Amino acid sequence: METKNNKQDMTVGSPAKHIFMFSIPLLIGNLLQQLYNMVDSWTVGNFTGDTALAAVGIAFPVTFLFISLFIGLSIGSTVVIAQFYGAGDMERMRAAINTTYGAFIIIAIPISLVAFFLTDPILHILHVEAAAYPEAKIYMQIVSLGMVGSIGYNMNAGILQGLGNSKTPLFFLSISTAINIVLDILFVAVFKWGVVGVAVATIIAQWFSWIFGIFYINRKYEEFQLHVHGLKIEKRLLFKIARIGLPAGIQNGLIAIASMALMGKVNTFGTDFTAGFNVGNKIDCFVFLPVQSFANAVTTFVGQNVGAGRLDRVHAGAKATIIMSEVWCIGMAVILLPISHQIIMLFSKTPAVIEAGVLYLWWILPGFTIFSILFVLGNAMRGAGDAIFPMVTSLISVVFMRVGLCYVLADWLGQQYMFACYLGGWLVGTPMMVIYYCSGRWKRFCGTVVDKKEELEA
């Protein structure tokens, strides 16, 4: 059911249809994000060289680490806002939005500065080769200083998605992507600025999407306004948002740390192997986007239905999301693996880079059928308010299993087997997630966010 300003009530109607339709703008938005990430790689790979290509890839998990806290805050706000919206409590919904933005304003700039000053130590920990070090350093420092724009966009998107609106964030992102692509080509292909041009283009585009989003929301939404002087942080609401969002942020941070640890091992095999891994990683992110979009949609779906007390719809939504995800993952593996060599060649013509990228894809794409189940169920339980178990599962499967297996396999069997660590981690984490979901223990978190009696007694 559609209401004013694209808000979507998911507590009635077909769960599969709601999730699919809500995920389409999310998918397009994720595609646009990956598109401009891939344009960054394509531009420096073709106009600057493999060293710059490796440098841009090295920086991604590092910057993701620092924005993980805010991604978690965004997820927490999405769930809380969705539950208040599902319960029909507009007053508490507005209070949750103000609390979210107030917390963002207080801590965004300090996080950006910390990221800037830790650039050198992090690059040393990652064992970055001397050839790629200068470009990786300058790229990371510029992107760190502009990180507030990316964080702000995620805050805007989290608020709107909690209301069931996945279309407006897509609008913001579309403009940002167009700006980024044009500036990439201008700064790198025309002005020959190399990785500096890519970094500057990225932060300009991100800041525009954030600031434009604020103006748009304040003009179109009467229910709430985003003004610094009007923001008020309610401690109880902040605690509830953090209870859901902080574990999600920690989980994302752990994934980023694991990626950095894995990148450190990859870097020991040379710049060509690193560049091939980075290209393969961007392609696998692109392939997984529909599953990510389905899973993000099910978070909002579950949040609204928990708020409305409709747990029967939660199960139906999770089942439909898993089915859609499996169909997609199987289809992509069948289509892309036979042409993986040609795909990697779009980014580099160096034989060693192509070989490493193809090797990565053949290990990763078949395993997505397992990973998608883990991912969807984790997001469904997070929508119900249980963010702890998904975090614990990620800690075990991604940090301990993946990183540990990566180093063991690389040292014992060689670099051609090291990417089996992804599959090993998923084979451990997915059964854990399935068993926990079927046990129903996540249901004990349902309803705690929208317990009006508790709010009145406070």
Side-chain angles (χ1 to χ4, degrees):
M1 181 175 67
E2 295 293 330
T3 57
K4 185 178 178 182
N5 291 327
N6 295 320
K7 295 193 296 293
Q8 184 175 346
D9 184 353
M10 299 186 180
T11 61
V12 294
S14 167
K17 182 178 179 180
H18 274 305
I19 291 167
F20 182 78
M21 296 304 295
F22 187 81
S23 70
I24 291 176
L26 296 179
L27 172 59
I28 297 173
N30 285 330
L31 286 171
L32 289 175
Q33 285 186 318
Q34 290 302 319
L35 175 62
Y36 83 63
N37 286 335
M38 293 180 76
V39 168
D40 286 351
S41 297
W42 178 86
T43 304
V44 297
N46 284 275
F47 292 98
T48 305
D50 290 335
T51 301
L53 179 63
V56 172
I58 289 167
F60 177 76
V62 180
T63 55
F64 181 73
L65 170 64
F66 286 100
I67 67 171
S68 292
L69 173 63
F70 296 95
I71 293 176
L73 184 63
S74 174
I75 293 171
S77 67
T78 296
V79 173
V80 174
I81 292 167
Q83 292 191 355
F84 282 134
Y85 182 69
D89 192 340
M90 298 299 106
E91 181 181 350
R92 305 309 296 149
M93 182 194 76
R94 284 192 293 271
I97 291 171
N98 286 333
T99 297
T100 298
Y101 238 89
F104 153 64
I105 289 174
I106 291 173
I107 57 180
I109 294 177
I111 292 294
S112 297
L113 293 175
V114 169
F116 177 84
F117 288 112
L118 288 182
T119 297
D120 269 325
I122 290 173
L123 290 178
H124 283 296
I125 292 172
L126 293 178
H127 305 293
V128 177
E129 282 196 337
Y133 190 95
E135 290 175 303
K137 178 180 178 179
I138 190 65
Y139 180 85
M140 281 179 54
Q141 288 181 330
I142 295 173
V143 171
S144 295
L145 291 178
M147 195 179 294
V148 173
S150 176
I151 296 168
Y153 164 78
N154 280 286
M155 291 295 102
N156 292 344
I159 290 168
L160 293 172
Q161 287 168 16
L163 298 173
N165 181 356
S166 59
K167 296 178 182 178
T168 303
L170 171 61
F171 177 53
F172 305 154
L173 190 58
S174 299
I175 297 174
S176 173
T177 301
I179 292 173
N180 189 82
I181 291 174
V182 171
L183 293 182
D184 265 352
I185 296 173
L186 179 65
F187 293 162
V188 180
V190 179
F191 294 169
K192 308 297 182 183
W193 289 359
V195 295
V196 172
V198 172
V200 172
T202 297
I203 64 172
I204 290 175
Q206 290 173 344
W207 271 76
F208 186 89
S209 68
W210 170 42
I211 295 173
F212 178 75
I214 292 175
F215 282 111
Y216 185 93
I217 289 171
N218 285 341
R219 182 171 181 177
K220 294 292 184 179
Y221 285 83
E222 299 176 356
E223 302 93 327
F224 61 92
Q225 297 285 291
L226 301 177
H227 297 297
V228 174
H229 58 80
L231 298 179
K232 179 182 178 182
I233 298 178
E234 294 191 21
K235 292 182 180 180
R236 291 179 63 81
L237 274 178
L238 181 60
F239 173 78
K240 291 177 178 180
I241 291 171
R243 182 177 58 79
I244 300 170
L246 188 58
I250 293 173
Q251 177 181 333
N252 287 330
L254 291 172
I255 292 173
I257 291 172
S259 298
M260 291 164 59
L262 196 147
M263 177 71 76
K265 191 61 176 178
V266 169
N267 289 339
T268 63
F269 294 105
T271 300
D272 287 343
F273 193 78
T274 299
F277 166 78
N278 289 332
V279 171
N281 185 254
K282 290 187 180 298
I283 292 169
D284 94 53
C285 289
F286 190 82
V287 171
F288 198 70
L289 286 181
V291 178
Q292 182 179 335
S293 302
F294 294 151
N296 289 341
V298 87
T299 300
T300 300
F301 175 86
V302 170
Q304 288 195 11
N305 281 281
V306 165
R310 296 295 307 276
L311 293 187
D312 57 313
R313 291 175 59 80
V314 170
H315 293 295
K319 180 180 178 181
T321 307
I322 289 174
I323 292 172
M324 290 187 288
S325 300
E326 289 298 301
V327 170
W328 173 261
C329 291
I330 293 171
M332 285 297 96
V334 170
I335 293 171
L336 295 181
L337 288 179
I339 59 172
S340 55
H341 187 275
Q342 289 81 358
I343 295 174
I344 303 298
M345 285 185 66
L346 295 174
F347 297 86
S348 177
K349 302 298 188 293
T350 305
V353 174
I354 296 170
E355 181 182 359
V358 171
L359 174 69
Y360 177 85
L361 291 179
W362 274 87
W363 277 114
I364 299 302
L365 294 186
F368 275 169
T369 55
I370 301 171
F371 181 45
S372 62
I373 299 173
L374 171 70
F375 200 81
V376 169
L377 291 181
N379 274 40
M381 288 187 285
R382 193 174 291 116
D386 186 353
I388 299 297
F389 191 80
M391 180 191 70
V392 172
T393 306
S394 291
L395 178 64
I396 295 172
S397 63
V398 176
V399 179
F400 294 148
M401 291 301 301
R402 181 186 298 178
V403 176
L405 280 175
C406 170
Y407 279 74
V408 170
L409 293 172
D411 291 339
W412 289 8
L413 301 177
Q415 65 199 63
Q416 66 271 29
Y417 292 101
M418 66 183 295
F419 298 135
C421 65
Y422 286 86
L423 182 60
W426 296 334
L427 287 172
V428 171
T430 301
M432 292 174 56
M433 192 71 80
V434 171
I435 292 171
Y436 184 83
Y437 178 83
C438 292
S439 74
R441 289 181 57 79
W442 52 272
K443 294 179 183 178
R444 69 189 188 276
F445 293 91
C446 295
T448 57
V449 176
V450 291
D451 190 341
K452 296 181 182 179
K453 181 179 178 181
E454 177 190 354
E455 295 292 344
L456 291 173
E457 291 174 348

